[in-house]
Amino acid sequence: MTYAIAEAAHRSGLSIDTLRYYERIQLIEPPARDSGGRRAYTDDDLVWLGFLTKLRMTGMPIRMMREYAKLRHQGVSSAGRRKQILVEQRTEVLSRIAELNSCLDVLNYKIANYENCERAVVTEPQAASA
């Protein structure tokens, strides 16, 4: 099945401009063209776009995504380097998760503290009127 650029954008969650940009910087191969010369994205293209979106969400720089995309065309011979890129990115993601968990701990502490303050305010006026 093939999809026009608008449908590919909708299905991938990316904008049409982003799809064209990814093509221009060679993150994606130029898609096939239909009889009218319009881009025709395949299901495989959408799977690749989904993977690129995940990489971008992890904070991977575009230059690393481009390297990965170029290596992908070399097939199995580039598997070691592609794995290395992903392992390094996983390390970055795990580090960010640890930082965010630390921030979450602080937020949870502060929220619990404010909840205790609110309970004290609610029980204090009752004690004063007795």
Side-chain angles (χ1 to χ4, degrees):
M1 178 151 217
T2 62
Y3 309 94
I5 194 167
E7 182 64 18
H10 174 73
R11 288 177 177 263
S12 68
L14 300 169
S15 70
I16 291 172
D17 288 338
T18 299
L19 292 178
R20 289 183 177 137
Y21 172 68
Y22 279 7
E23 184 180 339
R24 192 170 56 252
I25 66 168
Q26 301 174 343
L27 274 180
I28 60 174
E29 289 294 312
R33 300 283 178 149
D34 65 15
S35 59
R38 294 174 298 265
R39 289 169 174 87
Y41 293 87
T42 65
D43 289 323
D44 287 343
D45 292 330
L46 294 180
V47 169
W48 175 242
L49 288 168
F51 180 67
L52 290 174
T53 299
K54 294 295 185 200
L55 291 180
R56 196 71 189 119
M57 286 176 62
T58 69
M60 180 180 280
I62 292 286
R63 67 176 172 73
M64 292 305 300
M65 292 171 65
R66 288 182 68 203
E67 180 182 350
Y68 189 95
K70 285 178 185 175
L71 290 167
R72 173 178 176 242
H73 296 293
Q74 296 175 13
V76 178
S77 66
S78 68
R81 175 63 183 138
R82 285 185 285 158
K83 177 184 169 193
Q84 180 184 3
I85 290 169
L86 296 178
V87 167
E88 289 169 3
Q89 191 61 28
R90 179 179 60 188
T91 300
E92 291 293 320
V93 168
L94 289 170
S95 175
R96 284 189 23 234
I97 288 170
E99 289 173 2
L100 288 172
N101 277 327
S102 175
C103 293
L104 184 60
D105 290 344
V106 170
L107 291 172
N108 286 336
Y109 171 80
K110 294 299 275 184
I111 290 167
N113 186 50
Y114 286 123
E115 288 170 349
N116 289 336
C117 290
E118 288 173 331
R119 279 194 290 279
V121 169
V122 170
T123 58
E124 221 172 83
Q126 294 171 354
S129 64

